[in-house]
Structures are given as C-alpha cells and as structure tokens.
Amino acid sequence: MANVLKKQEINNFELIMELIATDPFFENISDIIFLLDRHDKLRELEDPELKRAVFTIVQEIIDNGIAKPIFGYSPTGPMPDPIPERAEEVLNYLDKYWGKPTDQHNDIGRAYLIFFAKKDGDLEHNSFKAK
Amino acid sequence: MAKNYDVNGNLISYYAWRNSTYGIEFMIKADQLNSFQENIEYYTSAANLIYLNGPPSRAMIALMNENYLDGLLSMWDEALRSPSYYVYAANILVMTSTNLKPNNITFTHVTKGISSPNYLITSHSYSQYKNLIQQKHGGSWQTVATTPQGPIQILEVGGIKYNARPVASNPYYKLTIDYFRGGKKLGEFRFNN
C-alpha cells in the first residue's frame, strides 16, 4: 500500500474535501496540490510529504465515491490495463508514475496522471492511450 | 489617491499608490473604499509580492480598470482574506495581456475562489489564444500526448508552462489552457470554441 498521511496530519482536511466535492472545476492532481498549498500548507513540488498528502486525498475521494478516476491523459503515465478501481490500486499506479524531478514534463505528467469524473458526461472514461 | 470616472461622469473607482516608483498600485471600487482602508495591510502585502517582478505595466492597470474590473471584483472578498490569491489572478492575466490593447481580451471569471482561478475567454477561440500566447512568448507548442479530441500541447517559457488540452472534466468547458509556474498550476483559461 502506498504511503499516505493520516487525515489528522492535513490542516483543514474536511474543508479541502468539501471544496473538492462541490467545485465543478475540480479536475485532476494539480487541483489537489493547489488546494493543499492554500488550505494545508505550502510545500515544495518534490517534497515527499506533498506526495503523501495527495495520496491521502485521492484515497478519500475514491473510498467515498466522490469521483471516479480517469486515466490516459498524462504524457508520463501510460493507460493502465486493467483499469485500477479500488483506492489501493489507484495509489499504486500513482506511486509508480509519480515521476522523478529530472523527467521531462514531469510536472505536467504528474498533474494529469488522474482526472476525476464526478457525474455522467464528465470525460469519456479511459477511452484512449496517451502517446 | 485619485478618482476615476466613467464616460458619464460617475465615480467608479479610486487609484492609490504609496510612492512614485511603482506608479498606481491599487484599484478600489468606489463603494469599497472603507473596506480597502480597513484591510490596507493585506493589499500592501499583495502589492509587495506583485512588485517582486517589477511594477505592473500600463496595460495591466488598464486591464484591471476596463472590461476586466467586474471579473476582478468578483475576487475581492477572496483577496481580502488571501493576498496570494490576488497575486495569482493578476499574474495570470498579465502574462497574456501585457503589450496588448486592453480591449483585445474579454473574459468571464467562472470561479469565485473555490479552487484555482478560471477565466472563460470570450473574445478569442482556443486556437486564437494559443497563437496569442505563442506570439507573446515565442517558442512553439510541443505535443506531449494525443487524445481522440486532439493533442495535449505545452509551450514552456522559463519557469512558466502553458498546457493546452482539448479535454476537461467539466463538460461545459472542454477546451482549456492551464497556466503552470514552478511546476504548479495557478489557473486555467477556458474556451467555448
């Protein structure tokens, strides 16, 4: 199981989850990082604690059915086969392709590793492979 | 401080500045002068952060005062609580507005401080705005992934990245250009066409 922070270790955890659930423009990993920067604390992009905090949020999103993960939009993360569905599987995928600072476009690749669909009509689900 | 009137002679806003080095530093809606005075420390902090990269251009001041005032004012409450948010918003706008006539870009601010700033660009199409960014910064759009809807492309300038993608979670705004700085997203431009 990927390494996550405890919910209690994230400032304003409930607020962050509420914003994710209600913001119609919440889309992907970069939005989670934005919310953590603003409402938890500002961290360097490569801070291992940021990765763990993101994983905690992703786990909460999936475990509570707030949104379903969409894959295939990241230049650094390939389309998984089979498609991860449980939180543990999704976090393992994230952990594998989170990337190194030296990877070209690692920041964008990481940001787009998962998109989230909250309702029918939000993105076509896992319908293609990234280049 | 100086007053700013519209074409009909109505007082619409104030300009404020601390010294002659920076020129105009603050725009205050006419009916929000008291709020500005009560929260001057937040605005001062925000201005100081903005000026780390030099004073805003004349185009930025015009941008904030003309078609864009309504959009920026929708962030006013947020700016009072979070100067950094104001910096984000101003920075995103100025990055594509500098050196352009202010009336050349119009937008609707489609989020109100819940997450990163979203601007629905109403004066330019997705393709036109990509060209505009390229004209401003030089360089070229690099395709980093392909989708059935079209390519995901990046234009990188220093520590800034524009990421153009024809896909988005929100079904109403598929066409999006993300604005990243230092590896983190600061906001998005959305397009209807």
Side-chain angles (χ1 to χ4, degrees):
Chain A
M1 182 69 177
N3 196 356
V4 300
L5 285 184
K6 295 177 181 174
K7 298 178 189 177
Q8 298 85 343
E9 295 178 280
I10 297 176
N11 299 312
N12 298 308
F13 179 80
E14 297 299 330
L15 171 64
I16 291 170
M17 295 311 304
E18 180 183 344
L19 293 175
I20 288 173
T22 56
D23 183 359
F25 293 96
F26 172 77
E27 285 192 287
N28 55 42
I29 298 295
S30 68
D31 292 304
I32 296 176
I33 293 174
F34 184 92
L35 290 169
L36 286 167
D37 277 355
R38 290 195 67 202
H39 299 291
D40 178 18
K41 62 181 178 182
L42 193 61
R43 300 178 177 91
E44 294 294 327
L45 188 61
E46 301 302 335
D47 186 340
E49 189 179 273
L50 175 61
K51 177 181 174 183
R52 295 174 65 208
V54 169
F55 283 19
T56 303
I57 301 294
V58 170
Q59 181 173 265
E60 189 77 0
I61 290 171
I62 295 173
D63 282 348
N64 289 285
I66 296 170
K68 65 180 180 182
I70 307 292
F71 300 90
Y73 290 84
S74 169
T76 58
M79 187 67 162
D81 184 18
I83 304 297
E85 293 185 357
R86 294 185 298 112
E88 180 177 357
E89 298 167 344
V90 173
L91 295 187
N92 285 339
Y93 174 85
L94 273 181
D95 196 33
K96 184 174 182 179
Y97 296 106
W98 189 255
K100 302 178 180 63
T102 53
D103 293 346
Q104 188 181 25
H105 304 312
N106 176 52
D107 48 359
I108 308 304
R110 181 180 301 174
Y112 294 171
L113 275 176
I114 298 178
F115 275 68
F116 294 97
K118 291 184 181 174
K119 58 185 183 301
D120 291 343
D122 286 355
L123 289 179
E124 293 179 18
H125 192 188
N126 302 321
S127 58
F128 67 94
K129 289 179 180 292
K131 181 180 178 182
Chain B
M1 184 172 286
K3 297 176 181 177
N4 181 39
Y5 298 90
D6 67 13
V7 293
N8 297 317
N10 300 311
L11 178 65
I12 57 171
S13 62
Y14 295 90
Y15 297 129
W17 59 91
R18 288 172 292 183
N19 56 52
S20 59
T21 302
Y22 294 144
I24 295 168
E25 292 184 89
F26 305 101
M27 298 270 317
I28 308 112
K29 192 179 177 185
D31 61 3
Q32 296 195 5
L33 186 58
N34 287 340
S35 176
F36 175 79
Q37 290 171 326
E38 291 167 3
N39 296 280
I40 185 65
E41 70 274 18
Y42 292 105
Y43 288 103
T44 304
S45 299
N48 287 340
L49 285 169
I50 289 175
Y51 297 140
L52 286 175
N53 294 319
S57 68
R58 194 179 306 173
M60 181 181 176
I61 298 299
L63 175 84
M64 295 170 70
N65 191 32
E66 297 188 16
N67 289 347
Y68 313 96
L69 189 59
D70 286 344
L72 287 173
L73 285 176
S74 70
M75 308 170 201
W76 220 247
D77 288 342
E78 183 69 23
L80 288 176
R81 285 180 277 117
S82 174
S84 63
Y85 186 85
Y86 179 75
V87 173
Y88 287 159
N91 189 274
I92 290 166
L93 285 172
V94 77
M95 286 309 296
T96 52
S97 67
T98 306
N99 301 328
L100 292 173
K101 292 179 181 177
N103 286 336
N104 280 0
I105 304 174
T106 57
F107 72 88
T108 302
H109 185 230
V110 295
T111 55
K112 296 181 179 177
I114 294 176
S115 63
S116 55
N118 276 251
Y119 299 98
L120 174 61
I121 302 294
T122 53
S123 57
H124 293 66
S125 70
Y126 174 72
S127 297
Q128 289 171 335
Y129 213 78
K130 283 175 62 183
N131 289 336
L132 186 153
I133 291 170
Q134 187 172 2
Q135 288 169 15
K136 174 173 172 53
H137 293 296
S140 59
W141 289 95
Q142 177 187 355
T143 298
V144 295
T146 55
T147 78
Q149 297 91 338
I152 295 176
Q153 296 181 306
I154 292 176
L155 193 151
E156 185 172 9
V157 187
I160 297 168
K161 281 184 180 177
Y162 293 95
N163 311 309
R165 53 183 165 98
V167 292
S169 291
N170 191 302
Y172 297 107
Y173 303 113
K174 292 291 189 189
L175 301 168
T176 298
I177 299 177
D178 292 321
Y179 173 83
F180 274 63
R181 191 175 64 193
K184 293 185 177 180
K185 184 176 72 175
L186 297 187
E188 296 104 346
F189 299 104
R190 307 284 189 173
F191 302 85
N192 282 325
N193 57 65

